[in-house]
């Protein structure tokens, strides 16, 4: 797969697609004001810092830094220059993550190799000296690793990463996994016939990736990084080269860049460090490569530029603006001074982002959302940007707003009250990370090590990061932060990039004129923040417990308060300092009318609307030093308010959720922002086959029931806040309440926190007993697939087929048998369509047995493929399902389907998220608790005969419902 592990592609997604994310926060937190780097720059934007010399083979960044590495990680290097990092992590028990990073990606390709670094990544799964073609995935499946979820790889501009997440750390699993990574690093065959079979898969991935956001990303990068190598080395590559390149050119890249001095192996998990180190040495110490090593490429200079604009028209994108400054990259070595400088700059950008957020929440906002950030463009340049998603036809207002706020920040700087708020929020985050460090997942630890070493940074622990933060902010003055912001906006530019779904009258000239008009207007100082208090600390006399009982085998306690509120508590130590809370109200979609369009698409307006006594913006400010959340979702089972917190803030978390039930404000501005974002959402969906299917599928699978259909463009435009309130307010104000709390707490503390909030609310109705809802129908079978059309590439289409099954409680063991059948169907489709035919990148199988709707469930298979391959897809599916009905599956295939599923469940059961979901409804419906108890034993006892019976019961040709998504004529 293609991997962009830095902010650049995330930026393109935010730039081009808004969807139904929060109007106030449309940007991933991974790059909004984070990941900043600092340079001392001249007015022309030329970096004054000296580039650090490349690390020597086998050298770690700490060898030349004044920063100590994480003491819990063993850093080592082999005589051949290969590095390794080992971190023991015993929680969760028996799990581990292995990562193999090759310091080479598409930037290293020659002109006739474009796309072959990624093609080579695919060939790692297609035969080596010790593993025949087609056997690697099967070996891992027998060990319980699922292809895609636990076994994967990615190729970026400057790195290739191979990933194995081990469900067990027994000797066989660890030794086999290290053997497979060794084969990948040094012993791939890259046979011509295997390459030819893989071409269709790589080309399928190219089709799937070629979306409007991706095309905007390329246009943006070409504009910002003019004439630099990055613009000509996208990881997916050149289609003609992918179609024609001989295996020898892939092998050339392999021999030049897959070398020990470019390789890092990370191992994190529940194993003995000495034993793991010995195995790594045994596996890789003898690695030697003949021939000349590949060179690092010249990425090209940053060109001198002034004010410029670029308008990129791409149907299917959200109108968005980016105002950017470009300068030479900061290639200096890691140091305490650099980290302090980075942190100060992060604080400055957080202040600026906060101001932009306030504007987005205004009654008539100039943009849907905006963010400012600094990005390292893979060592080619450093960019400072302000990006805004604009409302349709209002790009000028958006440009004026971001230009004004940029000048306001540079001219008038940061206020002390603003800085104090950001320091408080940063401190809360650093403290939470430090408190939860001991229970980080192996995959998280491995990614953190890769993320640091990939940028030649010293790997430090959360405790070290907290100490560094406290030292950096001690006596920090606003003037220092202001200077950091001013330096960040130095460079070539400003360069203004406008992405639009329709042509822009006047083009680039109109953009520059709008910028000049804004720049000539005076800018005032920012207003001081008013003093606020959190108003929801008391809800009345604490509620009294009417009943409490323990479910011993599930380590769970059920509590019922006198007002009818039910509380389910499961204390865990899966993740230190993490508590998850879900407040499940009423019966969700069951209580909505089936003939009226659901407004679930606008539920974010509920929490964004704030509370009667405080706005959402002011709530964030007054609770800046706290860790809490508030999100509303509509499911088949409930209207769910949820949040994540830490032990010291559990009271605050419950106060926030209680206040949303007691005094929601229903402010119209929040609804208007969500509605404005939806004005072009249909065009965005219609731009790709996958977009059309994701928009329409839920409604189709429920026979047009309006509780699942996606609203039309007219329905979005005509909806009002009162419509949303009519659907949500009655259940939220009076329906039964169930609270589920899972995580690092005690029964006593959780009970007390709920008693003083939700337990103190007026009485609620008693929930109904165990039952299944009626009235939802699966669509009738289709002899000829109906068609939906998209406006994307002519070679993009999707075939989809589904068979009805039944609900879970109608036949619990039958549902488990069907799940194993679904996994086998997935194996068969991957084997036939991907491995044998090379027709598609990723065939998909899904299965669902409703816990709510009587008789409703299904199994489905789908594929992305050129339109001319649809008929063959449906024929292949029919042949596979015929075989599953007529013959018993082999034992090896049964285990390769079963083991990854069992391991996936076992791993999920040591997470708080799993129990938050699974325990919901358990007090009222004990069948749900039985389902938890029997999920693993039930899957373990599924036989080949059971699978065949499930296939005969579900995969019936006369029941199949099909659909095609094809290009418009």
């Amino acid at each position: 797969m293609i991997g962009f592990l830095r902010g650049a592609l995330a930026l393109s997604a935010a730039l081009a697609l808004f969807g139904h994310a929060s109007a106030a926060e449309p940007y991933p937190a991974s790059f909004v004001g984070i990941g900043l780097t600092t340079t001392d720059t001249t007015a022309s934007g030329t970096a004054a810092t000296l580039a650090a010399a490349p690390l020597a083979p086998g050298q770690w960044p700490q060898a030349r830094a004044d920063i100590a590495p994480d003491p819990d990680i063993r850093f080592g290097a082999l005589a051949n220059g290969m590095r390794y990092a080992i971190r023991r992590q015993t929680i969760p028990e028996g799990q581990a993550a292995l990562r193999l990073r090759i310091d080479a990606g598409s930037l290293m390709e020659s002109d006739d190799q474009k796309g072959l670094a990624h093609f080579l990544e695919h060939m790692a799964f297609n035969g080596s000296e010790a593993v025949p073609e087609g056997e690697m995935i099967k070996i891992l499946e027998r060990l319980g690793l699922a292809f895609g979820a636990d076994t994967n790889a990615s190729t970026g501009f400057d790195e290739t990463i191979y990933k194995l997440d081990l469900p067990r750390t027994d000797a066989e699993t660890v030794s086999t996994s290290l053997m497979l990574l060794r084969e990948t690093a040094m012993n791939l065959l890259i046979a011509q016939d295997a390459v030819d079979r893989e071409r269709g898969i790589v080309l399928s991935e190219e089709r799937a990736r070629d979306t409007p956001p991706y095309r905007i990303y390329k246009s943006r990068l070409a504009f910002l990084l003019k004439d630099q190598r990055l613009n000509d080395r996208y990881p997916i590559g050149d289609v003609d080269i992918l179609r024609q390149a001989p295996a020898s050119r892939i092998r050339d890249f392999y021999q030049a860049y897959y070398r020990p001095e470019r390789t890092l192996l990370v191992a994190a998990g529940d194993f003995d460090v000495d034993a793991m180190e010995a195995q790594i040495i045994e596996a890789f110490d003898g690695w030697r490569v003949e021939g000349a090593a590949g060179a690092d490429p010249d990425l090209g200079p940053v060109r001198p530029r002034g004010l410029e604009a670029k308008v990129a028209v791409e149907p299917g994108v959200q109108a968005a603006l980016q105002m950017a400054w470009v300068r030479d990259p900061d290639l200096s070595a890691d140091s305490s001074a650099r980290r302090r400088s980075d942190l100060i700059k992060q604080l400055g950008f957080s202040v600026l982002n906060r101001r932009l957020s306030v504007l987005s929440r205004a009654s008539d906002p100039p943009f849907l959302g905006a963010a400012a950030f600094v990005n390292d463009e893979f060592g080619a340049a450093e960019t400072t940007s302000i990006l805004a998603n604009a409302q349709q036809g209002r790009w000028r207002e958006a440009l004026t707003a971001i230009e004004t706020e940029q000048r306001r920040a540079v001219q008038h700087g940061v206020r002390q009250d603003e800085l104090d708020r950001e320091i408080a929020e940063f401190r809360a985050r650093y403290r939470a990370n430090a408190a939860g460090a001991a229970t980080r997942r192996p995959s998280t630890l491995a990614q953190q090590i890769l993320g640091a070493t990939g940028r030649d940074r010293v790997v430090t622990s959360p405790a070290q990061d907290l100490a560094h933060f406290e030292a950096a902010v001690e006596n920090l003055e606003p003037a220092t932060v202001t200077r950091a912001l001013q330096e960040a906006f130095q460079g070539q530019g400003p360069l203004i990039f406008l992405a639009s779904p329709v042509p822009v009258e006047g083009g680039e000239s109109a953009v520059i004129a709008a910028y000049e008009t804004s720049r000539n207007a005076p800018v005032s100082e920012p207003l001081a923040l008013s003093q606020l208090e959190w108003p929801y600390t008391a809800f009345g006399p604490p509620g009294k417990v009417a009943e409490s009982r323990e479910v011993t085998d599930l380590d769970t306690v059920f509590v019922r308060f006198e007002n009818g509120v039910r509380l389910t508590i499961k204390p865990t130590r899966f993740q230190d300092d993490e508590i998850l809370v879900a407040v499940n109200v009423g019966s969700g979609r069951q209580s909505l009318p089936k003939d009226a369009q659901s407004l679930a698409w606008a539920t974010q307006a509920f929490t964004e609307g704030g509370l009667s006594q405080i706005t959402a913006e002011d709530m964030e400010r007054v609770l800046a030093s706290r860790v809490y959340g508030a999100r509303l979702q509509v499911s088949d089972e409930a209207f769910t308010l949820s949040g994540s917190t830490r032990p010291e803030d559990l009271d605050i978390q419950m106060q926030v959720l209680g206040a949303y039930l007691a005094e929601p404000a229903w402010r119209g501005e929040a609804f208007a922002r969500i509605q404005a974002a939806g004005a072009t959402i249909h065009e965005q969906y219609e731009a790709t086959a996958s977009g059309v299917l994701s928009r329409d599928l839920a409604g189709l699978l429920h026979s047009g029931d309006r509780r699942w259909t996606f609203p039309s463009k007219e329905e979005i435009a005509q909806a009002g806040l009162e419509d949303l309130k009519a659907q949500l307010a009655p259940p939220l104000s009076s329906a039964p309440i169930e609270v589920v709390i899972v995580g690092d707490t005690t029964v006593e503390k959780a009970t007390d926190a709920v008693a003083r909030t939700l337990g103190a609310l007026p009485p609620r109705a008693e929930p109904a007993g165990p039952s299944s809802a009626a009235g939802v129908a699966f669509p009738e079978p289709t002899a000829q697939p109906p068609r939906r059309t998209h406006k994307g590439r002519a070679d993009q289409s999707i075939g989809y087929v589904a068979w009805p099954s039944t609900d879970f409680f109608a036949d619990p063991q039958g549902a488990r048998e069907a799940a194993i059948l679904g996994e086998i169907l997935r194996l068969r489709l991957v084997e036939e369509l991907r491995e044998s035919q090379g027709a598609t990148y990723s065939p998909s199988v899904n299965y669902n047995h409703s816990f709510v709707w009587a008789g409703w469930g299904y199994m489905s298979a789908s594929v992305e493929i050129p339109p001319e391959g649809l008929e063959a897809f449906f024929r292949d599916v029919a042949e596979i399902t015929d075989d599953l009905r007529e013959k018993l599956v082999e034992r090896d295939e049964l285990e390769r389907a079963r083991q990854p599923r069992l391991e996936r469940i076992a791993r999920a059961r040591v997470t708080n998220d799993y129990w938050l979901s699974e325990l919901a409804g358990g007090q009222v419906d004990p069948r749900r608790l039985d389902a938890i108890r029997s999920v693993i034993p039930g899957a373990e006892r599924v036989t080949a005969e059971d699978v065949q019976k499930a296939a005969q019961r579900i995969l019936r040709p006369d029941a199949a419902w099909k659909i095609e998504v094809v290009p418009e004529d």
Side-chain angles (χ1 to χ4, degrees):
M1 64 180 286
I2 299 299
F4 297 83
L5 299 181
R6 301 184 192 172
L9 192 59
L11 168 62
S12 75
L15 181 67
L17 267 180
F18 186 83
H20 287 307
S22 161
E25 297 177 351
Y27 313 101
S30 60
F31 75 89
V32 178
I34 295 178
L36 302 171
T37 56
T38 301
T39 57
D40 295 320
T41 56
T42 65
S44 64
T46 302
T49 54
L50 295 176
L55 292 172
Q59 187 180 31
W60 287 92
Q62 54 263 35
R64 62 184 187 187
D66 61 348
I67 300 170
D70 185 338
D72 292 326
I73 299 173
R74 180 174 295 181
F75 300 90
L78 304 179
N80 56 20
M82 177 179 162
R83 296 182 297 171
Y84 58 86
I86 308 173
R87 169 62 152 82
R88 190 179 186 210
Q89 177 67 1
T90 59
I91 301 174
E93 182 179 353
Q95 295 184 23
L98 300 179
R99 301 290 186 269
L100 184 75
R101 180 185 186 272
I102 306 296
D103 186 25
S106 59
L107 287 172
M108 286 71 178
E109 297 165 344
S110 62
D111 288 343
D112 66 343
Q113 289 179 320
K114 295 176 185 177
L116 298 192
H118 173 236
F119 206 135
L120 172 58
E121 170 219 306
H122 279 240
M123 297 311 299
F125 299 89
N126 285 281
S128 69
E129 292 179 7
V131 182
E133 182 184 358
E135 285 300 309
M136 180 180 179
I137 298 302
K138 293 179 180 179
I139 290 171
L140 291 167
E141 287 168 345
R142 295 180 189 116
L143 295 174
L145 281 78
F147 182 48
D150 307 315
T151 306
N152 216 323
S154 62
T155 303
F157 283 106
D158 58 358
E159 65 182 2
T160 305
I161 296 173
Y162 297 90
K163 176 189 100 170
L164 296 177
D165 286 335
L166 311 188
R168 298 184 302 277
T169 52
D170 60 278
E172 180 187 9
T173 302
V174 172
S175 62
T176 300
S177 299
L178 286 173
M179 179 273 292
L180 294 174
L181 292 178
R182 180 199 67 207
E183 291 296 293
T184 296
M186 64 179 87
N187 293 326
L188 296 183
L189 296 178
I190 315 178
Q192 184 64 56
D193 57 346
V195 168
D196 291 337
R197 282 189 290 273
E198 194 70 16
R199 290 189 201 278
I201 300 170
V202 177
L203 289 167
S204 172
E205 187 172 357
E206 186 275 333
R207 288 195 305 272
R209 304 291 181 188
D210 189 17
T211 62
Y214 179 65
R215 291 191 288 272
I216 284 295
Y217 167 70
K218 293 201 296 184
S219 180
R220 180 194 76 88
L221 207 61
F223 174 60
L224 297 183
L225 307 183
K226 187 176 182 180
D227 300 329
Q228 292 187 269
R229 186 180 183 88
L230 211 64
N231 299 313
D232 195 35
R233 289 297 186 276
Y234 293 99
I236 197 61
D238 183 284
V239 170
D240 290 336
I241 292 173
L242 297 178
R243 287 174 175 155
Q244 301 171 14
S248 60
R249 291 304 285 139
I250 302 176
R251 199 175 300 113
D252 290 342
F253 188 92
Y254 184 55
Q255 293 171 344
Y257 288 102
Y258 277 53
R259 307 177 74 89
E261 65 271 22
R262 284 186 174 270
T263 300
L264 166 66
L265 179 64
V266 176
D270 188 9
F271 44 66
D272 179 79
V273 172
D274 291 336
M276 176 59 74
E277 184 175 40
Q279 289 181 278
I280 292 172
I281 293 172
E282 180 181 3
F284 292 94
D285 198 40
W287 183 13
R288 300 292 186 274
V289 181
E290 297 180 358
D296 286 330
D298 180 358
L299 302 181
V302 174
R303 300 293 185 188
R305 302 167 74 182
L307 171 63
E308 296 180 25
K310 168 70 175 178
V311 175
V313 178
E314 182 68 52
V317 300
Q318 171 75 49
L321 279 152
Q322 183 177 7
M323 190 166 64
W325 292 257
V326 184
R327 56 191 167 274
D328 290 342
D330 180 0
L331 303 177
S332 61
D334 197 6
S335 67
S336 296
R338 176 170 176 171
R339 290 195 178 196
R340 182 177 188 274
S341 180
D342 288 352
L343 178 60
I344 291 171
K345 192 172 293 186
Q346 288 184 42
L347 288 166
F349 273 83
S350 291
V351 169
L352 178 53
N353 282 323
R354 194 77 63 182
R355 295 178 184 176
L356 295 170
S357 176
V358 171
L359 287 178
S360 74
R361 285 167 157 163
S363 58
D364 184 25
F367 42 66
L368 297 170
F373 53 94
V374 173
N375 197 42
D376 167 24
E377 303 287 356
F378 300 93
E382 184 176 85
T383 56
T384 299
S385 299
I386 304 181
L387 178 132
N389 282 332
Q391 295 186 44
Q392 192 170 20
R394 296 184 61 184
W395 64 264
R396 286 181 176 84
E397 291 99 313
L399 177 57
T400 298
I402 62 175
E403 188 283 326
T404 300
E405 290 309 312
Q406 184 268 337
R407 269 192 303 130
R408 195 189 317 276
V410 170
Q411 291 182 17
H412 298 292
V414 172
R415 296 191 314 268
Q416 184 69 57
D417 55 349
E418 293 178 303
L419 178 58
D420 290 343
R421 172 183 176 173
E422 302 309 325
I423 288 176
E425 193 160 305
F426 272 51
R427 179 175 285 118
R429 186 160 61 243
Y430 276 108
R431 286 179 174 174
N433 289 341
T439 50
R440 285 172 291 172
R441 292 297 189 246
S443 58
T444 300
L445 283 164
Q447 186 54 52
Q448 289 170 348
I449 295 170
L450 284 180
T453 54
R455 295 177 292 118
D456 289 344
R457 299 291 177 257
V458 179
V459 183
T460 49
S461 70
Q464 290 173 294
D465 296 338
L466 174 59
H468 166 75
F469 167 79
E470 295 294 0
V473 300
E474 185 176 4
N475 300 320
L476 181 62
E477 298 290 336
T480 304
V481 180
T482 297
R483 285 194 297 272
L485 270 178
Q486 291 168 341
E487 291 173 359
F489 285 104
Q490 300 290 326
Q492 308 301 327
L495 308 176
I496 306 171
F497 183 84
L498 171 58
S500 174
V502 296
V504 173
E505 185 177 357
E508 284 83 6
S509 297
V511 174
I512 290 177
Y515 172 81
E516 294 282 13
T517 298
S518 177
R519 187 169 63 175
N520 290 328
V523 60
S524 61
E525 293 187 25
L527 299 175
L529 299 177
S530 59
Q531 295 299 311
L532 294 170
E533 296 284 340
W534 171 237
Y536 292 98
T537 58
F539 290 73
K544 295 181 179 180
V545 173
E547 179 187 11
S548 178
R549 58 190 175 93
E550 186 173 359
V551 184
T552 308
D553 64 322
L554 298 179
D555 297 321
T556 297
V557 173
F558 290 156
V559 175
R560 180 171 58 84
F561 291 92
E562 289 184 349
N563 69 346
V565 170
R566 294 173 184 264
L567 168 63
T568 297
I569 312 161
K570 183 176 176 63
T572 73
R573 294 308 300 273
F574 301 144
Q575 178 69 55
D576 287 347
D577 220 46
E578 178 186 80
I579 302 173
L580 303 185
V581 180
V583 178
N584 302 312
V585 185
S587 54
R589 288 192 186 93
Q590 298 170 71
S591 62
L592 297 177
K594 64 183 302 180
D595 57 353
Q597 175 60 49
S598 167
L599 271 79
W601 56 272
T603 53
Q604 188 66 31
F606 175 78
T607 49
E608 269 294 295
L611 302 167
S612 295
Q613 299 181 51
I614 192 168
T615 66
E617 175 65 31
D618 286 342
M619 180 167 62
E620 291 177 5
R621 180 155 63 91
V622 76
L623 298 178
S625 63
R626 306 297 194 134
V627 175
Y628 70 97
R631 181 184 183 191
L632 178 65
Q633 293 177 291
V634 180
S635 71
D636 291 353
E637 303 174 63
F639 302 94
T640 300
L641 274 165
S642 60
S644 176
T645 187
R646 56 185 177 178
E648 65 192 83
D649 290 331
L650 179 58
D651 286 342
I652 288 291
Q653 176 66 76
M654 297 314 305
Q655 290 168 13
V656 168
L657 298 181
Y660 270 112
L661 288 180
E663 292 191 355
W666 300 102
R667 291 185 175 89
E669 297 89 345
F671 184 87
R673 290 197 301 274
I674 301 297
Q675 189 173 43
T680 60
I681 192 65
H682 275 274
E683 289 80 0
Q684 295 173 42
Y685 278 126
E686 291 166 358
T688 63
S690 60
V692 169
L693 189 66
S694 64
R695 180 193 66 187
D696 295 348
L697 185 60
L700 292 167
L701 290 179
H702 293 85
S703 299
D705 191 312
R706 298 310 306 274
R707 291 171 289 188
W708 284 274
T709 57
F710 194 82
S712 69
K713 193 169 184 176
E714 293 72 26
E715 286 171 328
I716 293 174
Q718 294 168 10
L721 177 63
E722 290 305 313
D723 300 318
L724 179 66
K725 190 174 180 180
Q727 289 191 4
L728 297 183
L732 291 178
S733 62
S734 62
I737 294 176
E738 173 201 54
V739 184
V740 183
I741 298 180
V742 180
D744 189 6
T745 188
T746 65
V747 171
E748 294 74 21
K749 291 178 179 178
T751 303
D752 181 64
V754 175
R756 288 185 283 107
T757 52
L758 300 180
L761 295 178
R764 291 284 177 134
E766 282 291 315
S771 64
S772 296
V776 174
F778 193 82
E780 292 296 320
T782 50
Q784 290 297 320
R787 289 191 164 189
R788 289 284 198 275
T789 61
H790 68 88
K791 299 178 180 179
R793 283 174 45 159
D795 59 353
Q796 289 180 341
S797 71
I798 291 178
Y800 183 96
V801 56
W803 303 264
S805 55
T806 190
D807 65 277
F808 180 85
F809 292 119
D811 185 3
Q813 185 57 26
R816 299 182 188 103
E817 294 164 358
I820 301 299
L821 170 64
E823 297 300 328
I824 292 172
L825 179 58
R826 178 181 290 115
L827 295 181
R828 295 277 182 100
L829 284 174
V830 169
E831 179 70 24
E832 177 62 29
L833 299 178
R834 177 176 171 132
E835 303 304 329
S836 296
Q837 299 181 17
T840 186
Y841 173 58
S842 183
S844 176
V845 171
N846 288 292
Y847 43 87
N848 184 315
H849 294 80
S850 177
F851 273 38
V852 173
W853 305 103
W856 197 89
Y858 72 94
M859 184 172 294
S860 69
S862 62
V863 69
E864 184 283 325
I865 204 166
E868 59 270 21
L870 287 171
E871 183 177 349
F873 162 70
F874 289 117
R875 184 172 59 249
D876 291 336
V877 170
E879 291 175 357
I880 290 171
T881 54
D882 285 348
D883 189 74
L884 288 170
R885 291 193 309 274
E886 294 167 5
K887 300 176 184 177
L888 292 176
V889 299
E890 296 290 336
R891 180 175 180 80
D892 178 68
E893 185 178 37
L894 175 61
E895 293 308 314
R896 288 192 293 109
R898 188 206 319 265
Q899 286 307 314
R901 176 168 172 77
L902 287 173
E903 297 296 349
R904 187 163 63 248
I905 296 170
R907 278 181 287 178
R909 286 166 70 97
V910 290
T911 66
N912 292 327
D913 294 277
Y914 173 87
W915 292 101
L916 189 77
S917 171
E918 294 300 309
L919 289 171
Q923 287 201 46
V924 175
D925 190 350
R927 297 177 302 172
R928 293 172 178 264
L929 305 183
D930 292 335
I932 296 172
R933 297 181 179 108
S934 58
V935 60
I936 289 180
E940 288 175 333
R941 67 171 180 259
V942 174
T943 66
E945 289 78 10
D946 294 331
V947 171
Q948 184 181 29
K949 290 177 183 177
Q952 293 168 349
R953 186 171 66 247
I954 299 171
L955 302 180
R956 296 181 293 112
D958 61 338
W961 176 84
K962 304 173 185 177
I963 191 171
E964 298 176 349
V965 183
V966 299
E968 285 185 342
D969 294 334

